[in-house]
Amino acid sequence: MRRRVIAGNWKMFKTQAETRAFFKAFAPLVSASKHCDIVTAPPFTAIPAAVEAAKNTNIVISAQDVYWEKEGAFTGEISTSMLVEAGCRYVIIGHSERRQFFGDTEETVTKKAKAALAAGLTPIVCVGEHLSHRESGQTHKVCKTQFDGGPGLLTPDEFSRILIAYEPVWAIGTGRTATPEIAAEAHKFLRQCAAEKFSSAHAAALRILYGGSVKPDNIKGLMAQEELDGALVGGASLDPKSFASIVNFTS
Ligand code: PGA
């Protein structure tokens, strides 16, 4: 059985002081939660505060992006070793907002994932279709293009160390969640892509998180689908009580 992961993506929210306040409230609410891995992805500047606050807890810290070069004249970028030194264990790669506003492509997703893996970070690689794709019946085509051109280009060993997040763009921040059945169908398709590119063992072991308006009141229904191995949560991960009740969906 694949171990579940509940990850919070804070996007461009929270200062260091707000981060410390969040963990003070959140950590006790999930300290007894053993059924899943708990990940929080603050913005870069709040990572050290988050790592410090999450020490001796069951919460690990992720970054929201990374650059693939080791170092150099790349103004504004952050390297994998900087994230590792800061205490990150995961990194989100190819989030739809990075693809839409900051030029991430399949090619940069692959480069970032390879660099992250080489540094010992666990990439959470995001894929997902826009509303126009879904309405024109192109969901599989888009997911396959993003899969084949991104995680599909990793080596089998590299692939066995990543997580994928299926995030339909029309469900992100819109309050419009994919139904558990729609999400499960897309996850099944991505697992099939993994079986075709790698092996059925790789596909069976791959953890695929669902993201897009996950809230305390829909997490249970989503997690009832065995294709869904966890969630990547945006807005609802900013409030300690709301994120804790998502983590504690089993209770
Ligand atoms: P949301 O964001 O939960 O606010 O829809 C999810 C994400 O973008 O990862």
Side-chain angles (χ1 to χ4, degrees), residues 34-55:
K34 298 202 167 36
H35 59 285
C36 65
D37 294 336
I38 308 168
V39 181
T40 304
F44 289 132
T45 51
I47 286 173
V51 168
E52 179 61 30
K55 234 184 227 165

Side-chain angles (χ1 to χ4, degrees), residues 7 9 11 92 95-97 126 167 171-175 211-215 232-237:
N9 170 16
K11 311 193 179 188
I92 298 170
H95 188 278
S96 62
E97 286 149 18
C126 303
E167 298 207 310
I172 295 178
T174 57
S213 297
V214 174
K215 307 278 179 234
L232 182 55
V233 187
S237 73

Side-chain angles (χ1 to χ4, degrees), residues 52-147:
E52 179 61 30
K55 234 184 227 165
N56 303 319
T57 73
N58 52 348
I59 308 155
V60 296
I61 305 305
S62 173
Q64 298 175 16
D65 191 23
V66 71
Y67 194 59
W68 58 84
E69 293 288 352
K70 283 197 162 58
E71 60 183 7
F74 303 107
T75 302
E77 295 298 324
I78 298 279
S79 74
T80 55
S81 59
M82 291 168 187
L83 295 183
V84 170
E85 184 198 37
C88 284
R89 300 260 300 278
Y90 289 74
V91 57
I92 298 170
I93 291 175
H95 188 278
S96 62
E97 286 149 18
R98 304 264 3 140
R99 292 180 191 255
Q100 197 173 342
F101 305 127
F102 304 102
D104 269 10
T105 60
E106 274 75 77
E107 192 188 344
T108 65
V109 165
T110 311
K111 284 181 172 173
K112 289 177 179 188
K114 279 185 173 287
L117 287 161
L121 292 161
T122 299
I124 302 174
V125 178
C126 303
V127 300
E129 81 285 1
H130 285 259
L131 184 59
S132 58
H133 299 137
R134 177 158 288 273
E135 286 177 339
S136 57
Q138 293 186 77
T139 298
H140 285 187
K141 187 168 164 250
V142 170
C143 288
K144 187 160 168 53
T145 301
Q146 292 181 356
F147 181 92

Side-chain angles (χ1 to χ4, degrees), residues 153-185:
L153 295 179
L154 299 174
T155 66
D157 173 62
E158 287 171 335
F159 186 75
S160 67
R161 291 183 285 134
I162 70 162
L163 309 182
I164 288 183
Y166 169 64
E167 298 207 310
V169 180
W170 47 270
I172 295 178
T174 57
R176 196 176 156 180
T177 330
T179 62
E181 292 73 23
I182 288 178
E185 194 278 328

